[in-house]
Amino acid sequence: MWVTKVFQDLTLEELYEIYRVRSAVFVEEQQIVYADPDENDKHALHLFEINNGVITAYARIFKDGDHVTFGRVLTAAAVRGTGKGKELLQHILAIVKNEFADAEIEIDAQSHAVGYYQNGGFTVASEPFIEAGIDHIKMTYPK
């Protein structure tokens, strides 16, 4: 079941599961050392698929200055390669269209995920740069 909630509406169990799965993917699997959670969680829309209390896909979406961005995009190891990532991106774009209709979308994508975002309609908008010790590339989505 896909769910979209603002921070204040998350249950304690949902919040715990969001932080657990983000830690599992970004800290344990990718070994990224970064501040998580951060202040963006408080004003983001949290999109996730949850089954039997376990989150299998997640992203947070929020306004950042004059554009909309999203991040912490993940699929749990158990659903990778099933098309869940493509489904997640489709849900992200639908939410942005509904909630932030006229805003431009700009993201900082991990370099290894550039093809994933290009397949979803994004274009590269910068040279590679380092963020949280990982190669990233700024990407945009056409209005």
Side-chain angles (χ1 to χ4, degrees):
M1 169 176 64
W2 287 96
V3 177
T4 305
K5 290 186 175 185
V6 296
F7 185 80
Q8 295 81 355
D9 291 342
L10 294 168
T11 68
L12 289 176
E13 289 298 319
E14 289 167 337
L15 185 60
Y16 170 82
E17 182 60 15
I18 286 168
Y19 292 149
R20 185 205 62 76
V21 72
R22 284 178 12 186
S23 179
V25 171
F26 299 117
V27 177
E28 294 172 32
E29 290 179 21
Q30 296 183 4
Q31 299 181 344
I32 300 172
V33 178
Y34 69 110
D36 186 43
D38 64 19
E39 288 297 312
N40 292 322
D41 283 328
K42 292 180 182 178
H43 62 271
L45 290 173
H46 298 269
L47 166 67
F48 52 98
E49 183 181 56
I50 190 163
N51 295 302
N52 298 318
V54 176
I55 290 178
T56 54
Y58 172 85
R60 65 180 186 180
I61 306 161
F62 56 95
K63 194 93 161 137
D64 186 15
D66 63 347
H67 64 275
V68 173
T69 192
F70 57 87
R72 303 296 200 264
V73 177
L74 66 85
T75 54
V79 299
R80 289 188 198 135
T82 66
K84 190 59 63 185
K86 181 178 180 181
E87 189 178 339
L88 173 61
L89 188 56
Q90 290 169 343
H91 280 281
I92 292 168
L93 294 173
I95 288 169
V96 170
K97 183 178 179 181
N98 288 335
E99 300 291 328
F100 309 98
D102 295 326
E104 198 165 309
I105 304 172
E106 184 178 295
I107 61 171
D108 293 344
Q110 289 186 11
S111 293
H112 71 83
V114 167
Y116 164 73
Y117 290 113
Q118 285 176 321
N119 287 339
F122 284 79
T123 57
V124 172
S126 78
E127 294 296 319
F129 60 94
I130 303 294
E131 183 176 309
I134 302 288
D135 287 338
H136 282 74
I137 294 179
K138 195 164 294 296
M139 300 187 80
T140 58
Y141 189 82
K143 280 188 174 184

